[in-house]
Amino acid sequence: MAGERNFPSPSAFLRKPNMASSMRSLFSDHGRYIEAFRRFLANSTEHQCMQNFIEEKLPGIIARIGDTKSEINILSIGGGAGEIDLQILSQVQAHYPGRHINNEVVEPNAEQIAKYKERVATVSDLKNIKFAWHQETSSEYQNRITEKKELQKWNFIHMIQMLYYVKDVPATLKFFHSLLDTMGKILIILVSGTSGWDKLWKKYGSRLPQNDLCLYVSSPDIIQILETLEIKYDCFDLLSTMDISDCFVEGNENGELLLDFLTETCHFSKTAPPDLKAEILEDLQRPGFSVKEREKILFHNHLSFIVVEA
Ligand SMILES: C[S@@+](CC[C@H](N)C(=O)[O-])C[C@H]1O[C@@H](n2cnc3c(N)ncnc32)[C@H](O)[C@@H]1O
């Protein structure tokens, strides 16, 4: 509504303290988090789904971002190991052949940055692209450039599967939107309101380990914030699945890591109270959470692609 600033407060998305036991957040063991994320990528169509979007929809979205610019400035927030970033860059290169691209990455995790740099070193077709990495969170970046008064404008900003880790989502969106150059766009990718994630978080969030590093946000939350901020956007939903069949094989290592990722709990199988574990394992097989297909249980990992305009 015009004039109203009725944001859901960040704490509205935070987990409530759970009474449970020895369960601890997956974020408390960084190595296990990265391994669980790797298993998630290997067992899901997450990156395939993003690749389809990048090939089919992104060319239209970026069609005018570089009009009249001698250099295209791209800012990646939470770029991870760069797999998706490089696909985006290749589309921008194809659309603006020979144009110089300045690609800056804001990523707090040193290992991810190291992997991103390795990847860049092995890809040959990156000429005309200048890379810079900033090992910091989006709010650290925001504070740093605000203090230095270096408010550079960007032609394309992307936030892919990372808004869960931002403390103040409305302030973050407002800030990065203010950095868009004329014709600039922001691409936000996160789980959709129809995903199994949304259902899992709503039903079990309060019984899983408390962790203020991760908010249970899905696309309807972001859309509500954008509407309150009166920022123009478009939203595309795409289906994606995650094969969670191994989660139902007792003692299966892959299944245990996937369950850790689903519940964001370190060693969920071994540390969760038996009733909670049984309920979650049962729900994960229900319609709304997953679908059974050829002996496999495929969790709804549906994604929303939100394109924000300057
Ligand atoms: C789920 S991964 C997604 C990586 C990549 N964008 C992709 O889709 O493959 C989330 C990434 O966000 C980074 N991250 C976590 N908190 C962040 C924050 N506050 N600001 C920026 N990046 C953050 C993590 O280190 C991680 O690399």
Side-chain angles (χ1 to χ4, degrees):
M1 282 297 140
E4 282 184 14
R5 286 290 177 270
N6 192 17
F7 304 125
S9 81
S11 60
F13 302 123
L14 285 176
R15 298 169 178 200
K16 296 189 187 74
N18 68 309
M19 303 306 289
S21 65
S22 59
M23 282 195 297
R24 62 188 172 97
S25 161
L26 184 57
F27 296 94
S28 63
D29 181 340
H30 190 69
R32 192 161 171 92
Y33 170 75
I34 294 285
E35 183 55 21
F37 180 56
R38 210 179 61 74
R39 300 295 178 111
F40 159 69
L41 288 180
N43 287 275
S44 72
T45 60
E46 167 106 350
H47 276 180
Q48 186 58 50
C49 175
M50 290 182 190
Q51 191 179 337
N52 294 346
F53 178 86
I54 288 167
E55 284 168 6
E56 284 159 28
K57 290 267 186 233
L58 194 68
I61 292 165
I62 56 162
R64 300 200 52 205
I65 58 167
D67 285 7
T68 75
K69 317 276 179 223
S70 57
E71 178 178 80
I72 298 174
N73 291 310
I74 301 183
L75 184 62
S76 160
I77 312 289
E83 299 99 319
I84 300 298
D85 287 26
L86 293 195
Q87 290 177 24
I88 290 175
L89 284 168
S90 127
Q91 287 295 340
V92 177
Q93 271 182 323
H95 195 77
Y96 293 101
R99 193 80 62 92
H100 190 82
I101 299 172
N102 171 39
N103 185 71
E104 295 197 24
V105 183
V106 173
E107 167 57 60
N109 186 284
E111 275 170 57
Q112 296 280 67
I113 291 181
K115 286 204 189 106
Y116 197 138
K117 288 182 179 172
E118 275 169 32
R119 193 178 304 275
V120 166
T122 58
V123 177
S124 57
D125 195 20
L126 296 174
K127 57 180 181 307
N128 295 327
I129 307 181
K130 191 174 85 203
F131 286 90
W133 289 269
H134 306 285
Q135 193 192 334
E136 57 194 354
T137 63
S138 57
S139 61
E140 286 164 352
Y141 172 83
Q142 178 174 344
N143 294 341
R144 181 170 61 82
I145 65 159
T146 307
E147 269 166 31
K148 280 193 179 168
K149 300 196 170 52
E150 281 177 3
L151 297 175
Q152 186 189 334
K153 293 286 180 183
W154 300 91
N155 307 108
F156 193 58
I157 300 176
H158 51 87
M159 303 173 161
I160 302 180
Q161 291 287 43
M162 62 70 61
L163 276 177
Y164 321 104
Y165 312 114
V166 161
K167 283 215 170 71
D168 187 342
V169 180
T172 302
L173 292 177
K174 195 173 174 190
F175 173 73
F176 285 102
H177 183 253
S178 77
L179 298 185
L180 283 181
D181 206 341
T182 352
M183 310 303 291
K185 302 253 170 86
I186 302 179
L187 172 65
I188 298 166
I189 307 181
L190 81 172
V191 298
S192 85
T194 60
S195 65
W197 294 103
D198 195 66
K199 287 178 188 59
L200 197 65
W201 293 337
K202 284 199 175 112
K203 186 159 178 190
Y204 294 104
S206 62
R207 294 167 70 191
L208 291 167
Q210 190 184 11
N211 168 29
D212 66 0
L213 277 178
C214 185
L215 308 179
Y216 291 135
V217 282
S218 60
S219 54
D221 302 311
I222 303 303
I223 284 170
Q224 191 195 330
I225 293 167
L226 292 172
E227 288 189 348
T228 310
L229 288 168
E230 296 177 30
I231 291 177
K232 273 171 72 181
Y233 68 90
D234 239 335
C235 181
F236 309 84
D237 283 341
L238 291 186
L239 300 186
S240 165
T241 57
M242 168 185 182
D243 182 352
I244 56 168
S245 315
D246 284 350
C247 296
F248 305 95
V249 182
E250 191 65 39
N252 181 292
E253 195 214 2
N254 192 47
E256 289 187 354
L257 280 155
L258 293 175
L259 260 183
D260 282 15
F261 194 74
L262 282 163
T263 58
E264 283 163 11
T265 303
C266 200
H267 296 288
F268 176 80
S269 262
K270 297 193 174 75
T271 59
D275 59 334
L276 177 64
K277 184 176 164 186
E279 278 175 63
I280 290 186
L281 284 175
E282 201 178 322
D283 265 346
L284 284 175
Q285 302 179 69
R286 283 190 208 280
F289 289 84
S290 67
V291 63
K292 285 199 180 76
E293 230 177 72
R294 280 178 267 121
E295 311 288 306
K296 286 188 173 161
I297 300 168
L298 303 177
F299 182 71
H300 297 315
N301 182 53
H302 305 334
L303 299 175
S304 291
F305 297 74
I306 302 174
V307 179
V308 172
E309 291 181 26

